[in-house]
Amino acid sequence: MLQFTKTRAFRISAAVALLVGLYALAGFWLAPKLVRNALNDEIPKTLVGVTPSIGEIHINPFLFKVEIKDFSLTGAQGTKLLGFGRLFIDFQFSSLWHRAYTFKNIDIDSPFANAVIFKDGSLNLAQLSPKAPEKPQPKSNEPIPALRIGSFKVSQGFLSFDDRRRPSDFATRLEPINFELQNFVTGVEGGRFNFTGTSKLGERIEWHGHLAVQPIESNGELQIMGLQAHTIWEYLADQLNFQVNSGKIDVAATYQFSLKDAVDLKVDVSKVALNDLAVRPKNSDVDWITVPQLLVSGTTVDLKQRHAHSDSVTLSGVKLVTWLDPDGSINLLQLARTPAAPASTSAATLPTVTKPPAPADAAGPPWTFDLREFALAEASISAEDRRTKPVAKVLIAPLSIKVMGASLDLAKPLNVALDAKINGAGTLNVTGDVTPQPVAANLNLKLGGIELAVAQPYIAQYTSMTLMAGSLSGDAKVRYGAQKPALQFSADLSVANLHTVDNALHEDFINWDRLDVRGLSFQHDPDRLDIDQVLARKLYARVIIEPDESINVKRVLAGPGATVIAPSGSTAPPVSGTAAPAPAPPLQTKKQRRAPPTSAAAGATSASASAAGAAPPAATPSMPISIKKIVLQASQANFADLSVKPNFATGIQNLEGSVSGLSSKQNSRAKVDIHGSVDAFAPVSITGEVNVLSAALYTDLSMSFKNIELSTFNPYSGKFAGYNISKGKLTTELHYKVDGRKLDAQHHIIVDQLEFGEKTESKDAVSLPVKLAVALLKDRDGVIDLNLPINGTLDDPKFKLGPIIWKVFVNILEKAVTAPFALLGSLFGGGPDLQFVDFQPGAAELDPAAVSKAQSMVKALNARPQLKIEIPIAVVNDLDRPSLVESKYQAQIREAQSAAAARKKPGAAEVSFDQLEPGAQLDLLNKLYAKDVGSEPKFPDSVDALKTKAEKTAAKNEFLSQAIHAHITVDDSDLTALGQQRAMNMQQALLTGTQIDPDRVFLVANDKAKNQDGRVRLELSLR
């Protein structure tokens, strides 16, 4: 045995055993310690502020296996950055003949990463960035080392994210995360990988495919399942003005990625689905937007070709709840507003991220995108207009829209189709093409049974009638574009079963069974209107002369609450526009303003000229108009005169006929042929030719009224003749011809068997022996036959057809005018700003401009004795308070100067403060300061540091002036007194030496004062 130990074989074996033992000792015991020490030493050096924590380390030097447990890195804030529960590496000896680092398995169990964004915007994981080397390292062109990995697996990992920048912290967690890469080599073969992740809400992501690194290439599939829309909203909640409580997103896509000479990415998104999305404003329990399903399918993106395409975008069952607020804003736009930051965090904003500059070749060809089909199916829109009272409501459901061929090429036309049901009854169908840029459209419209009563809240703003029923139907075509005419509209329209009610009388106003407008053709630029036929079936109209002799049509169309002015000489009270509570005032847009005074004055002038029958020839219409035929069928009209006692009422029944050939052409002649009867047994006919649409008016009409019972007209005979009619019949043949503004009127009146009855006590009766006159006119058959020709010109302001005609028509030609300040200014001087009176800050005296306006107001009030005026007691604090302070300061200066002058010799010349020497000013200010403050002034060191006496004196004067100003107090009573004095001065200007009743001038404390170019502007009011 001893001999064997001395042999060469033993020594070699012993050496080998010793080396193996030392290798084993180094591998199993020493290597883990060295690895632990290296990690503990190098990580803090490389990653500043990062502390490693390492559990057990096992190394098998014979099997080339390494296992590390419970590894983590902790940041400077004490939070764990990342780590894992176990890392296992199985390195293969076959690396020698594979000429690549070969790993059988690399397993990471329970890895984790905690990402935290702190309030200053810093990311905790940024601590994992190694320190930049002191000297820049040269770029290496060596290829990456060759690798072969049989299996790289990540199991049961998790990722947490916490954003602490926002007022309400956001935190979420994705787990478990699993990843597996199999049979990976660094050559072109690469390897397959599989990645899965799940959140605590069941949201899941799956990503699997192929990855290669030489060159870098990858392809695979990506699926996102059940992503909660609320999760996305929760992260952005502080920046959004709405909340999302439901909604799930599913995405399925494949991709191909390559990084050779340039980035090449192709993505095929087979599906993006959004289900059960509900959006509502914060602090609301009503969803404004509901999207049961949004599906985007067949989307492809080619980064290299800069092209994207989607087969279809489909929204199903969308519900919108929308309205216009009283200020005209749309409620849905509130969802897009950025919420105001809380006061406590208003100064803190999220840090901005500076994007790196785009590479020079980034500006390649523009991106292109096309969408084959966009579809909105079975949608519902509940809309309200809350500007009206009552609120206007409309329900559009179901609504379907389809748009074909959308793209970023805005010059490419889109094919659109729309189908909608309105308020459960009417239908609207739109088909055609629309081009976004330049804007162009070619559309076909089909309307069916759209209820017009939905428009009543708008009608109520401008009229005193109620639209009870009516439905609109028809077919129309619309073309709009750059080619002239710019707009073309053609249609066949009908309104069926129209029923309107006079609000004041609660009786029918205008009704019809059906109104058809056929062959309507309108075009703009150049303008033109053509209509083939207007057919009115069972048209009914009620015309009433009110007790004040106004016409009900004028009252109804004057608007709610309006007062219709009676004709001159009427003693009846004005008639209110409606007997019901007045709706809201007419709608106004944000740009709408009060009408200028010139428009009102022009309206008044036009009304007066029309009433006198002396209007000049109308201007040539800017738009040619042609109506081939107007047809009346089975129509009637009721007429009542409530201005006479007893009231008069009659009806024209069975109105039939037509008006053919209406045109705005100068030489056109429309043929009129209308027939009917008064009270069923008195035939009425109107025949002839007219031209009412041309600038050159032409009328050649014959009107015949036969067999009219004169007893029907007792109210008129009792009022104007002083007797009732016991019997008699009237037949009239009237012929009116107007040509070249000249009138030739022939009145053939036949009265048969006229007999008067009882005498009336009418104050309007003529003081003539009426019975004697009738007896002289009758022939032996008891017939009175009169021919009353009337000739004249419509341009003669004195020309009138007679009292009877005027009593019927004069109120229609009258127009009510208002008397706003602008109108008063145009009539009596003062200009369009008559209601504004300007004052110097701190002053109450009227300047010449204000005096002139006061004089104009005196003229206006004298001419309008029912007007009352309100003068505001108001100030502008920012202007008046400093001015009052300055006034008090100057008063103190003058008082101090006066006291000093009293102590001087008599006869000494008085000088202003500004004319005093700086030293004398300083003495005066010192005394004034001591008097106001009660102590000697203490000048700042900066004043004493000045070198020259002149500089010191000037600085002291400035310091004392500012200190005295700051010590002067102007309280609210001073401002109130100033406002009152201004109002009283204006009141005195209006009342002194005038005939205006003081009861008509009011001083009102309000805030109608503003800063107007440095002056205080008061705004007067009328009532």
Side-chain angles (χ1 to χ4, degrees), residues 881-904:
R881 191 179 295 273
S883 297
L884 290 178
V885 169
E886 179 63 25
S887 297
K888 289 189 176 184
Y889 171 76
Q890 293 296 335
Q892 292 183 11
I893 290 292
R894 290 191 296 271
E895 182 181 354
Q897 280 188 276
S898 298
R903 294 191 293 269
K904 294 181 179 180

Side-chain angles (χ1 to χ4, degrees), residues 939-948 951-952 955-956:
F939 298 103
D941 295 338
S942 59
V943 174
D944 295 333
L946 296 174
K947 295 181 179 181
T948 66
E951 290 177 339
K952 285 184 179 182
K956 288 180 179 181

